[in-house]
């Protein structure tokens, strides 16, 4: 039987950071993970450069049944605290857009930082370790594994969500929560591309790879970013963002969010009355997109002078508010995060400890707190890990 003060299950962003911080407080800590190597999701994040936080991270950038839950952790360990740590390690980074901070070189720089922090805290990190059962004692826990038994006072669940099963994602954390009587809210894929019904998918697949700046909206929320047309449907930052809010309804796409097409198309008719609608649209969009829009939106491709006011207005209205009903999403296979998870009502926002189960903590993505695209989910990992580490 191996004795530790703290066992952390999950060697991802939250698990490693919590272990490092707890170890540096003088606790004896071991991290257990079933994967072959640590931080697999970190390594592939941000195109291999890890969007490790966002300069503008704030509670309103997170989705949860209880939107207030994340406030305490985010205020006590902020993006500036983690940026300070990155600076301490002299990791070069840059802002890509909208406050998103990426490593200049490689996501492995962040994994190296976490492992160095663990080393400072005397943390043992054990991979290829299957957890077979967890038992509660009066004063702690027994963790049964493929490598033997562990006993600890505090048990931290940092197992992540269901997204990207190829990287080892499993529902293990939710099962532990249920074992100890904590509610788990329904989960679904977030920050995920949309799939489309055949009548849209087929023509759009022909122009796979075309990108367009849009404002994508539903449920009184919208995001102004790029949309990417794929052979399966729609992706790109605007689509990934709105996917977390989507529950089966229409998504409204403003294809010209920064220009008034009503005025522009009237001006074009005056200046070039013989120009066809397709050729006009090709001055505003990529040529292939313009041609496809004519087809899928059933516009009459006539010279502008032959289109009356009502027809021109309809073209502008439609392009500013194209209603698309996705057939679904690509699911956990490509989702960046999992919405839902361990009910925050069962946890202390101050400590991340289960209210009714002493010594049991849940941090990171396994909890019902999900950030927007752009480094927010890593910040939740750092913040929730840090606060738990002060109490384990």
């Amino acid at each position: 039987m191996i004795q530790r003060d703290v066992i952390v299950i999950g060697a991802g962003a939250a698990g490693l950071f919590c272990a490092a911080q707890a170890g540096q407080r003088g606790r004896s800590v071991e991290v257990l993970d079933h994967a072959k190597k640590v931080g697999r999701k970190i390594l592939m994040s941000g195109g291999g450069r890890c969007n490790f936080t966002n300069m503008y991270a704030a509670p309103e950038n997170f989705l949860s049944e209880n939107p207030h839950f994340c406030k305490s952790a985010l205020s006590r360990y902020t993006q500036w605290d983690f940026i300070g740590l990155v600076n301490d390690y002299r990791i070069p980074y840059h802002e890509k857009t909208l406050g998103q901070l990426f490593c200049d070189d490689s996501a492995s720089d962040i994994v190296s930082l976490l492992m160095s922090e663990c080393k400072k805290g005397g943390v043992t990190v054990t991979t290829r370790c299957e957890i077979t059962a967890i038992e509660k004692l009066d004063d702690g826990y027994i963790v049964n594994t493929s490598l033997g038994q562990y006993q600890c006072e505090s048990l931290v669940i940092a197992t992540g969500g269901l997204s990207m099963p190829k990287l080892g994602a499993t529902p293990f954390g939710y099962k532990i929560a249920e074992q100890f009587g904590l509610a788990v809210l329904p989960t679904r894929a977030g920050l995920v591309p949309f799939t489309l019904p055949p009548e849209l998918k087929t023509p759009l697949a022909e122009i796979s790879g075309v990108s367009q700046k849009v404002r994508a909206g539903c449920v009184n929320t919208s995001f102004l970013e790029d949309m990417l047309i794929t052979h399966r449907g729609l992706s790109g930052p605007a689509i990934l963002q709105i996917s977390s809010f989507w529950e089966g309804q229409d998504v409204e796409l403003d294809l010209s969010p920064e220009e008034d097409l009503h005025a522009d198309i009237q001006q074009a008719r005056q200046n070039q009355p013989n120009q066809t609608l397709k050729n006009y649209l090709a001055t505003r969009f990529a040529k292939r997109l313009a041609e496809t829009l004519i087809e899928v939106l059933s516009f009459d491709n006539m010279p502008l002078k032959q289109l009356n006011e009502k027809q021109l207005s309809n073209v502008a209205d439609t392009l500013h508010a194209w209603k698309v009903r996705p057939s679904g999403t690509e699911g956990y296979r490509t989702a960046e995060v999992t919405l839902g998870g361990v009910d925050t009502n069962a946890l202390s926002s101050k400590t991340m400890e289960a209210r009714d189960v002493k010594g049991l903590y849940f941090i990171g993505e396994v909890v019902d707190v999900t950030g927007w695209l752009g480094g927010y989910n890593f910040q939740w990992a750092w913040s929730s890990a840090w606060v738990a580490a002060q109490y384990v």
Side-chain angles (χ1 to χ4, degrees):
M1 177 90 69
I2 299 169
Q3 299 274 352
R4 300 280 184 236
D5 296 330
V6 184
I7 293 287
V8 178
I9 301 179
L16 291 173
F17 195 56
C18 180
Q21 297 297 313
Q24 290 175 36
R25 276 183 55 229
R27 305 289 277 160
S28 68
V29 185
E30 185 150 351
V31 181
L32 306 177
D33 197 294
H34 66 114
K36 291 177 186 174
K37 63 183 196 180
V38 304
R40 290 182 70 189
K41 208 166 171 185
I42 301 172
L43 290 169
M44 60 73 59
S45 67
R49 291 200 170 175
C50 186
N51 179 192
F52 57 83
T53 192
N54 192 293
M55 292 194 296
Y56 306 121
E60 51 267 28
N61 303 120
F62 294 84
L63 291 80
S64 174
E65 283 287 309
N66 177 1
H68 302 292
F69 180 83
C70 64
K71 290 179 177 176
S72 176
L74 291 171
S75 67
R76 284 155 60 214
Y77 191 87
T78 70
Q79 59 269 41
W80 305 110
D81 292 316
F82 194 77
I83 291 166
L85 185 60
V86 170
N87 287 330
D88 289 346
Y89 277 82
R90 296 181 179 169
I91 296 171
Y93 63 88
H94 60 279
E95 180 190 357
K96 191 171 178 184
T97 180
L98 303 170
Q100 301 169 10
L101 300 185
F102 288 77
C103 297
D104 284 359
D105 299 327
S106 167
S108 62
D109 288 346
I110 298 297
V111 175
S112 297
L113 176 157
L114 294 170
M115 294 305 285
S116 294
E117 286 291 292
C118 281
K119 191 174 180 182
K120 273 189 201 175
V123 175
T124 305
V125 179
T126 302
T127 54
R128 303 185 191 219
C129 179
E130 296 288 341
I131 313 296
T132 54
I134 294 173
E135 304 165 39
K136 178 89 172 76
L137 305 174
D138 290 341
D139 57 351
Y141 297 86
I142 298 277
V143 180
N144 294 295
T145 81
S146 55
L147 301 178
Q149 276 193 327
Y150 291 81
Q151 187 171 346
C152 62
E153 288 174 34
S154 298
L155 179 63
V156 181
I157 308 299
T159 50
L162 300 173
S163 51
M164 301 193 182
K166 277 189 176 175
L167 295 182
T170 74
F172 182 82
Y174 307 134
K175 289 178 178 174
I176 298 303
E178 288 168 344
Q179 177 187 337
F180 289 100
L182 282 70
V184 176
L185 300 177
T187 59
R188 58 191 174 89
L191 302 181
V192 63
F194 285 135
T195 55
L196 294 172
E199 63 271 19
L200 267 184
K201 177 186 171 184
T202 303
L204 287 176
E206 295 291 318
I207 59 168
S208 175
V210 170
S211 181
Q212 174 68 26
K213 192 167 192 179
V214 303
R215 182 175 289 282
C218 71
V219 202
N220 301 317
T221 304
S222 66
F223 293 92
L224 177 65
E225 288 198 64
D226 285 347
M227 173 182 80
L228 176 68
I229 295 168
T230 73
H231 60 284
R232 290 192 195 90
L234 301 176
S235 188
I239 298 301
L240 299 184
Q241 291 281 37
I242 205 63
S243 72
S244 292
F245 295 81
W246 181 73
E247 294 182 355
Q249 65 276 78
D250 285 347
V251 174
E252 187 171 288
L253 301 173
D254 183 345
L255 297 177
S256 184
E258 296 173 315
E259 191 168 11
D260 180 5
L261 288 177
H262 291 88
D264 191 71
I265 202 169
Q266 296 288 356
Q267 190 69 49
R269 183 168 66 166
Q270 279 185 4
N271 296 344
Q272 293 180 282
N274 293 317
Q275 185 181 40
T276 63
L277 179 60
K278 182 169 78 176
N279 287 343
Y280 161 73
L281 293 180
T283 67
R284 293 288 165 261
F285 306 104
K287 185 172 179 238
R288 291 196 300 153
L289 177 58
E291 291 169 350
T292 304
L293 289 171
I294 293 275
E295 177 190 348
V296 300
L297 297 174
S298 303
F299 292 149
D300 291 324
N301 183 33
M302 297 193 292
L304 296 182
K305 67 182 180 185
Q306 292 180 25
L307 296 168
N308 61 35
E309 293 286 336
K310 188 176 178 184
Q311 288 171 309
L312 290 178
S313 187
N314 176 58
V315 169
D317 285 344
T318 303
L319 293 172
H320 276 307
W322 181 20
K323 288 181 173 54
V324 173
R325 177 72 61 95
S327 58
T329 72
E330 290 191 9
Y332 294 119
R333 184 180 63 81
T334 57
E336 295 199 16
V337 291
T338 305
L339 291 149
V342 177
D343 190 347
T344 57
N345 289 328
L347 306 175
S348 160
S349 63
K350 183 182 175 186
T351 66
M352 306 304 292
E353 185 178 19
R355 293 182 186 279
D356 299 329
V357 191
K358 183 173 167 46
L360 181 64
Y361 298 77
F362 291 84
I363 59 174
E365 192 184 347
V366 74
V367 179
D368 173 39
V369 174
T370 305
W372 290 5
L373 182 75
Y376 299 100
N377 288 291
F378 274 118
Q379 187 55 46
W380 172 245
W382 316 136
S383 296
S384 59
W386 187 88
V387 296
Q390 310 312 306
Y391 296 93
V392 294

